[in-house]
Amino acid sequence: MDMTAIPNLLPILPEMFLALAAIGLLMGGVFSDEDAVPTIHLLTIFSLVAAIAILLAFTPTGSTFDGAFINDGFARYLKVLTLIGAAVTVMMTMSYARFQAFNRFEYPVLVLLATLGMMLMISAGDMIGVYLGLELQSLAVYVAVAINRDSIRSTEAGLKYFVLGALSSGMLLYGISLVYGFTGATQFEAIAASIMAEGGAGLGVIFGLVFILAGLAFKVSAVPFHMWTPDVYEGAPSPVTALLAAAPKVAAMALFTRVVMEAFQPAVLEWQQILIFLSVMSMILGAFAAIGQTNIKRLMAYSSIGHIGYALIGIASGSEQGVVGVVVYMTIYLVTTLGAFACILAMRRTDEGMVEDISDLAGLVRTQPFMAAMFTLILFSLAGIPPLVGFFGKFYVFLAAVEADLVPLAVIGVLASAVSAFYYLRIIKIMMIDEPRDRFEPMAGELRIVLTASGGFTILFFLFWTPILSAATAAAQSLF
């Protein structure tokens, strides 16, 4: 037996651990009673935290499977972010599961499988790897969205997401097949080398690139491929919406960055135009469509579309500075979004159960001052108001655009940011000035921890800023 044929499995150690953990917890759930659900939640959180430890302590940088799997600085940083996002969303679900028809062991197992898919996406160095990672993540999330089988809204959201997701996967595969047909390669380095050898991207490669970017734009919910986002965010159970808004967005943006920066770097002029269009449309729609929303989860859907638009500015600039901007922006986005969803999950009344109407937050400062204060900080940060951390996220991507001579793009970003501040400020006005409504139930301990951490980060970020920025810079350098 040829020993050299066995791939080096050390770079893929955390993924192997998560796969085994998911299988073990699935078997454990099947052969135990309902009382085991909290234990499976805790073991899932432990598995995700253990994967971070394995990634940082035992996993060397390098590639394996003939370059199809890459574990570089960029992958390590974004995998840690993704794992933190997944672990926090499972933690926030624990209080929810006690009240809703959510007391099923399958949910944390689905989160583990989705996270495994996300990690494969972040490390993909080959188009086949891109597709496998995306589908593993997507299929697990489709089921999670529709997990509340007794709810028509949840089932409808799952079906909409599945049908549109299948369409986007088809577009992605068609693009990959075109690129393979015209370059004879699926590996990122080989695709880039083929485009360089041809002296630029031919018409066939450009068509393939357009379809690939359309498939990826769907996954990050960039306009005009955003149509699923508001309906799915609103219809899915709130903890699943929190999951959707956090970790998968980070992984999909990482994949988007890697595909354009590594596989299609020689065709920068072609994809830059597409990304500028996606970015501008996402920022404008995210700013204006959220103004009339009354449902807080639907508003967060349009908010996330806008934030993806800002992050895409960093990729569109096509520079190392731009990638640093994207990494920093997604770090800030993850922390503030998790904090916002901790507040949304705490909107519960004894007689009504979960409430989602923005008007239900009326007078929150008088009934629950801690929650109102933290939510206000997070909303100001999402709006990009200085001196909070959200301002610096936008500053970095706008700076990258200016340095890449994309000044109009940065100007549109600033104007869209000013418009979007209106609907964040409207929520703050409702919490601070309107007459109080009935009290919410006391906030669960897990949600209070997440909200305190997120609110603390938005205002005390200068304590962590230097390590975050140096890690983001090192992550970006590994792509260039």
Side-chain angles (χ1 to χ4, degrees), residues 77-78 81 245-246 250 300 307 310-311 324-340 377-385 387-397 453-455 457-459 461-462 464-465 468-469 472:
Y77 184 98
L78 285 142
L81 266 193
V250 174
M300 287 304 291
H307 283 292
Y310 299 124
V324 173
V326 175
V327 174
V328 169
Y329 198 93
M330 293 316 289
T331 307
I332 294 165
Y333 169 80
L334 180 79
V335 177
T336 46
T337 301
L338 289 172
L377 272 178
I378 288 163
L379 290 170
F380 272 135
S381 180
L382 285 168
I385 291 170
L388 299 173
V389 69
F391 166 76
F392 292 93
K394 287 179 177 170
F395 174 76
Y396 266 88
V397 288
S454 179
F457 178 79
T458 57
I459 201 156
F461 66 92
F462 52 85
F464 322 97
W465 190 246
I468 286 174
L469 196 58

Side-chain angles (χ1 to χ4, degrees), residues 68 113 116-118 120-121 124 126-139 172-173 176 255:
L113 291 169
L116 175 60
M118 292 176 222
L120 292 173
M121 283 159 60
D126 187 290
M127 288 298 177
I128 310 295
V130 168
Y131 183 69
L132 288 174
L134 262 178
E135 283 306 288
L136 178 54
Q137 180 244 309
S138 299
L139 290 169
L172 182 78
L173 275 178
I176 290 170
L255 175 62

Side-chain angles (χ1 to χ4, degrees), residues 265-283:
Q265 180 59 38
V268 62
L269 290 174
E270 285 82 358
W271 58 254
Q272 198 172 38
Q273 296 168 41
I274 300 168
L275 288 192
I276 289 169
F277 172 77
L278 293 175
S279 173
V280 169
M281 295 305 292
S282 300
M283 290 188 293

Side-chain angles (χ1 to χ4, degrees), residues 127 179 183 187-202 205-206 209 257-273 318 479-480:
M127 288 298 177
V179 170
T183 63
Q187 211 178 336
F188 291 176
E189 282 183 10
I191 291 169
S194 173
I195 295 170
M196 288 277 281
E198 293 290 322
V205 173
I206 292 172
L209 172 63
T257 308
R258 198 185 282 282
V259 167
V260 296
M261 292 295 177
E262 290 194 344
F264 296 102
Q265 180 59 38
V268 62
L269 290 174
E270 285 82 358
W271 58 254
Q272 198 172 38
Q273 296 168 41
L479 283 186
F480 287 88

